[in-house]
Amino acid sequence: MLKVVEKALYILRVTWGLPLIILFVLWGCGPEKVYLGDRENDEAQIVLPASLNIPAAEPLAAEQSLSTFQLPPGFKAELIAAEPLIQAPIEMEFDERGRLWVLEMFGYMSDIEATDEEAPVGRILILTDEDGDGKMDQSRTFLDSLKLARAFCLLDGGILYAEPPNLWFSKIENDQPVSKTLVDSINAVGGNVEHQPNTLLLGLDNWIYSAKSRFRYRKLGDNWVKEETVFRGQWGMSQDDEGRLFY
């Protein structure tokens, strides 16, 4: 009988302990001190005591922000691109000419209600260093009107890019996208934007891997192969000199 009671108390603690604690704290604060949200007719949050006030964090210019970085010994950070050349970067890649390709996602969470999140306002830019000083001087749009595009990969004279739910490949001629081909119509279907497949990493084995996905892709001539592998999550990937994947 004692073991049954102990088991029941354990289940209660695991399943109800945290909610009960939260309810107790809210009850102790009183209804006038509970923040109910920021929508219309919701109760406003009370003024926090001075000890809990967070100091203002004023935005810094790109050059100024470098002084705030904390880097391991032997590392150095240099600024190569900032506003107005780029505005909402989420992924970048250098091509064989040293140009910097940047994917920008303007649509994601423009406000707390995610207003117009699926508006086609994303774009891919090409940044160039015109004077050879290691800093980007010019920026131009390669591809625009993208809807929540979150990854791209340069390969085989073209560009592979993910625009949910589709995965597209376009040949590049004179720095312009041509002959758009649908590689996969179910590359990223449904779910929260933060939990959809992302990253298109060209591995040393010539397969292209994504985070938050169990699939990989490979271009063989004009055909594409999709193959199931182990699941990789959640956001971003890299590889070392031996081709081992880090995610």
Side-chain angles (χ1 to χ4, degrees):
M1 181 64 180
L2 180 59
K3 291 185 178 181
V4 174
V5 173
E6 289 177 347
K7 185 175 182 180
L9 290 174
Y10 172 77
I11 295 174
L12 178 63
R13 185 174 72 251
V14 172
T15 59
W16 287 98
L18 182 58
L20 286 175
I21 291 173
I22 294 175
L23 288 175
F24 176 76
V25 171
L26 294 180
W27 173 81
C29 291
E32 73 281 1
K33 297 183 179 180
V34 178
Y35 179 50
L36 299 179
D38 54 9
R39 294 182 175 84
E40 186 178 357
N41 298 323
D42 277 357
E43 181 182 346
Q45 183 175 2
I46 63 172
V47 178
L48 293 174
S51 61
L52 295 181
N53 283 336
I54 300 175
E58 298 295 332
L60 299 176
E63 288 284 0
Q64 293 176 313
S65 66
L66 288 177
S67 63
T68 68
F69 291 3
Q70 298 182 21
L71 303 174
F75 285 80
K76 180 181 179 181
E78 296 183 357
L79 179 66
I80 64 169
E83 298 86 350
L85 293 181
I86 55 175
Q87 299 179 46
I90 64 167
E91 188 166 350
M92 68 179 188
E93 182 175 336
F94 286 96
D95 65 13
E96 69 278 1
R97 295 164 55 184
R99 300 182 303 176
L100 183 62
W101 294 61
V102 179
L103 172 60
E104 296 191 308
M105 182 189 284
F106 289 98
Y108 176 67
M109 294 302 293
S110 59
D111 58 30
I112 195 64
E113 302 294 341
T115 304
D116 297 327
E117 185 172 63
E118 296 193 2
V121 293
R123 62 182 182 178
I124 297 176
L125 306 175
I126 304 177
L127 278 63
T128 56
D129 173 14
E130 299 295 327
D131 54 14
D133 65 352
K135 298 181 180 180
M136 300 300 157
D137 305 301
Q138 293 186 5
S139 173
R140 71 175 187 83
T141 301
F142 167 78
L143 186 62
D144 59 11
S145 301
L146 300 176
K147 185 181 71 174
L148 292 177
R150 76 271 316 289
F152 74 96
C153 177
L154 300 171
L155 77 156
D156 196 25
I159 183 170
L160 181 71
Y161 61 97
E163 184 185 23
N166 302 316
L167 184 63
W168 301 97
F169 179 77
S170 289
K171 279 288 187 180
I172 300 175
E173 295 181 3
N174 299 318
D175 287 339
Q176 298 292 332
V178 296
S179 62
K180 182 177 178 181
T181 301
L182 179 61
V183 176
D184 189 2
S185 62
I186 54 172
N187 172 255
V189 180
N192 187 297
V193 175
E194 299 177 11
H195 293 276
Q196 289 182 339
N198 60 86
T199 309
L200 291 169
L201 176 68
L202 180 60
L204 295 183
D205 57 2
N206 286 321
W207 284 92
I208 300 165
Y209 296 87
S210 295
K212 198 66 178 183
S213 172
R214 66 179 186 276
F215 295 103
R216 64 180 185 176
Y217 301 85
R218 186 169 184 174
K219 188 174 187 295
L220 298 175
D222 293 329
N223 299 315
W224 286 89
V225 178
K226 178 180 180 181
E227 182 177 283
E228 187 169 354
T229 60
V230 297
F231 180 82
R232 301 166 298 275
Q234 168 186 351
W235 188 277
M237 292 186 63
S238 187
Q239 65 178 330
D240 62 13
D241 293 340
E242 298 180 8
R244 296 178 298 182
L245 301 178
F246 292 79
Y247 46 86

